[in-house]
Amino acid sequence: MLTFDEVQFYPKARALLKPLIAHGKFDYVATGSLISIKQNTDDILIPSEVESLELNPLDFEEFLLAINEEPLANMLKEVALSPSEVPDLIHKKAMKKYREYMLVGGMPQAVVEYLDSKDFQKVDKVKRNILKLYRDDITRFAKGYEGKVSAIFDELPSQLAKNEKKFTLSSLGKEARMRTYEEAFFWLADAKIINPCFNSTDPSVGLGLHKDGSTVKCYMADTGLLVSHAFADSDVSDNNLYREILVGSLSINEGMIVENAVSQALHAQGYKLYFYSRHDRNERENNMEIDFLIVPKGTSKTKVSPVEVKSGTRYKTGSLDKFKKKFSGKVGQEIILHPGNAFITGSRMKLPLYLSAWL
């Protein structure tokens, strides 16, 4: 097997694969980032024989395997198949590992550093270097609208820190409109830097048929990178800072981190990301926000599951209750992901956050 690495620097090399494949002597792998964006596909004939694979950051299960916690991964996967209460000691260990995962993230280089050193400060340096590479790529490849791409990229943590988390274009300028920034959002999605999540105005099985392209939440593709991005003002985030986040003693918007981690898990499982939002200026009682909408695998394809993400153990379910009432004929299993243990009552499942890896 022959490997062409960093193929984005010479896009035409992908077209040369066709005669090499026809020769039949070797198998070929072409790897690289940003290989699907417009500048790297214009006038390039991609051979039909080439199979494209999207590599995501490590999910929670892969993270556990990487840090030599295979028995725990297997146990949690088995629980997810038939959700039930997790033994207390196992639950506490799983939540601790899940918090570590959210802070380290799933970028292979960061995971390897954590496995080798268990030093959050060293891991943070790795992640900050990746963020710098992202900025360099934006300057190099987002020709013509690099300013808009950079502006969105810089705003990601503050937008996700908001209660509703929808990206507000007015933060970029009074005259900012989706029609002028749409291509910049697409660039970041194609570059696998963000996972966009769109508002589905009618929560039916065909969620994409009712997509509101102007209302979007922009989650970072890797939650560990989001943590470092959020603390970009300091030169480096040291071990004490990470440990305070780990035990919950630092005043930080944990909801931002947890919700981003769930978006990452859903994306890794092949779900396209949608949410539901309704605002009634005249009747506030009609307002509701549902974090995610999915059609779970292996279930009836005629029902939509609303997914609510909670970062604390005390929370309200007002939006979920109103959503169930309004769309009772379309709603299947309701899912609440929270730090607590599994608890199932009728059509509503409360599941530990870490089980989001196996929805």
Side-chain angles (χ1 to χ4, degrees), residues 145-190:
Y145 44 95
E146 58 267 37
K148 293 177 180 177
V149 175
S150 294
I152 295 172
F153 179 72
D154 289 340
E155 276 287 305
L156 290 175
S158 61
Q159 294 289 326
L160 289 173
K162 298 186 306 182
N163 184 46
E164 294 178 357
K165 297 177 176 58
K166 287 178 287 189
F167 200 101
T168 306
L169 283 171
S170 59
S171 64
L172 305 178
K174 293 182 179 179
E175 304 301 320
R177 298 291 183 272
M178 179 56 76
R179 64 178 178 272
T180 58
Y181 277 84
E182 188 174 32
E183 198 166 8
F185 281 109
F186 286 158
W187 191 97
L188 285 164
D190 278 348

Side-chain angles (χ1 to χ4, degrees), residues 190-327:
D190 278 348
K192 315 303 179 189
I193 294 174
I194 66 169
N195 291 328
C197 181
F198 293 96
N199 184 24
S200 183
T201 57
D202 183 4
S204 302
V205 171
L207 294 168
L209 297 176
H210 306 281
K211 181 177 78 172
D212 177 6
S214 64
T215 310
V216 60
K217 294 191 286 188
C218 290
Y219 297 105
M220 285 197 70
D222 182 70
T223 306
L225 291 182
L226 172 62
V227 172
S228 292
H229 197 10
F231 289 98
D233 290 341
S234 58
D235 291 336
V236 67
S237 298
D238 62 21
N239 281 306
N240 289 332
L241 178 62
Y242 269 95
R243 289 194 183 99
E244 287 181 14
I245 299 174
L246 193 64
V247 300
S249 63
L250 185 70
S251 179
I252 184 176
N253 189 331
E254 192 172 15
M256 167 184 73
I257 300 173
V258 170
E259 193 170 318
N260 198 93
V262 172
S263 76
Q264 183 176 340
L266 295 177
H267 178 81
Q269 293 169 79
Y271 290 109
K272 292 186 178 180
L273 301 182
Y274 295 99
F275 68 99
Y276 180 79
S277 176
R278 180 185 179 185
H279 284 275
D280 189 329
R281 294 182 179 179
N282 298 319
E283 296 290 339
R284 294 187 61 185
E285 286 299 315
N286 293 329
N287 294 347
M288 64 184 95
E289 293 278 339
I290 302 297
D291 296 327
F292 300 103
L293 301 174
I294 64 172
V295 180
K297 301 166 186 176
T299 63
S300 169
K301 299 298 181 182
T302 62
K303 301 286 186 179
V304 172
S305 286
V307 179
E308 283 279 78
V309 183
K310 307 296 183 181
S311 59
T313 55
R314 294 184 179 181
Y315 52 81
K316 297 180 180 179
T317 60
S319 285
L320 197 57
D321 298 336
K322 286 185 280 187
F323 185 84
K324 173 70 173 180
K325 182 178 180 180
K326 182 175 178 61
F327 301 106

Side-chain angles (χ1 to χ4, degrees), residues 61-86:
E61 180 180 7
E62 292 166 333
F63 176 79
L64 289 176
L65 296 177
I67 62 172
N68 302 314
E69 289 286 355
E70 184 174 358
L72 178 60
N74 291 338
M75 182 180 297
L76 297 181
K77 187 174 183 178
E78 185 176 340
V79 169
L81 292 174
S82 181
S84 59
E85 187 173 7
V86 181

